[in-house]
Amino acid sequence: MSIAYDCTDPDSRSAGIAAARAALKGGHLVVMPTDTLYGIGCDAFDNRAVGDLLAAKHRGPDMPVGVLVGSWDTIDGLVSRVSPAARELTHAFWPGAVSLVVEQAPSLAWNLGDTRGTVMLRMPLHPVAIELLREVGPMAVSSANVSGKPPAATMTDARDQLGDSVEVYLDGGPAEHAVASTIVDLSGPQPRVLREGAVTSARIAEVLGVDAQSLA
């Protein structure tokens, strides 16, 4: 039986963060607000929980899960190398709506799906998400919807689709932008925008000092 907490109320938010922390430590799933859309997440290093997350979304490992972090420094332990382009983009857009695909550290014992040695990282600009991430560490997070259905812009949208597959729902009100993050692939020789979302390719190009056409 899942439980929802109104995170716009300070007391309920504290109780919700505590419940979400306990759920994640117990290998369960949590839905939380982010600055883009609602996300369904688990402990990034709990491979069974990641499998449960994929099952809840009705999707397979061919669509791997990204990772949310609660601070800039966290990525240093998750990647093989933080490139100058990654530093520039994190300084410019984190916390915010830019996800970076980078080569993961080879020593990491996680299984996020068929990532081919990469990981997609983002630091969200939402106080509830940041508070939870700073308490529990990196979380494997995907949009809080069943694959093929509309992404969840509210906690109710997420609960209607995911139901009791999630133990704790954190309700932060409607998503402020309700637009997915922009995904930039930094794992190859040249940066590429895989998905243009809340941040335009032109802004990415401006920060990197390149022509926007080169990111296509």
Side-chain angles (χ1 to χ4, degrees):
M1 183 73 177
S2 62
I3 304 176
Y5 294 86
D6 179 5
C7 291
T8 64
D9 174 82
D11 291 336
S12 181
R13 171 173 164 168
S14 295
I17 293 291
R21 180 179 62 244
L24 294 167
K25 295 298 184 185
H28 301 291
L29 305 180
V30 168
V31 161
M32 64 181 180
T34 77
D35 49 330
T36 54
L37 295 157
Y38 272 75
I40 176 175
C42 65
D43 181 342
F45 297 97
D46 187 331
N47 293 337
R48 184 188 61 78
V50 173
D52 290 343
L53 188 158
L54 291 171
K57 286 181 61 70
H58 300 177
R59 84 187 203 191
D62 58 310
M63 299 177 68
V65 184
V67 172
L68 295 189
V69 298
S71 71
W72 293 272
D73 297 335
T74 304
I75 69 168
D76 291 330
L78 302 179
V79 304
S80 58
R81 182 180 75 91
V82 181
S83 67
R87 288 287 185 211
E88 289 169 2
L89 292 175
T90 57
H91 290 163
F93 298 112
W94 283 15
V98 171
S99 299
L100 303 179
V101 177
V102 293
E103 291 186 18
Q104 70 174 45
S107 59
L108 291 177
W110 61 18
N111 183 6
L112 303 170
D114 298 336
T115 63
R116 296 173 182 163
T118 66
V119 61
M120 186 171 71
L121 300 172
R122 188 167 84 87
M123 181 181 175
L125 181 60
H126 194 288
V128 173
I130 289 291
E131 183 177 351
L132 182 59
L133 288 162
R134 289 182 175 171
E135 290 205 19
V136 303
M139 289 178 59
V141 177
S142 182
S143 56
N145 62 298
V146 172
S147 288
K149 294 189 176 182
T154 68
M155 186 274 291
T156 301
D157 291 341
R159 199 171 191 179
D160 286 345
Q161 294 190 49
L162 300 169
D164 287 339
S165 63
V166 172
E167 182 154 310
V168 173
Y169 287 85
L170 300 179
D171 187 356
E176 184 176 351
H177 302 297
V179 178
S181 67
T182 295
I183 301 175
V184 184
D185 185 356
L186 300 177
S187 64
Q190 299 292 333
R192 291 190 306 129
V193 172
L194 302 183
R195 179 182 73 196
E196 183 167 312
V199 177
T200 66
S201 296
R203 282 286 294 125
I204 300 294
E206 180 183 349
V207 169
L208 294 178
V210 300
D211 188 285
Q213 295 297 323
S214 71
L215 299 175

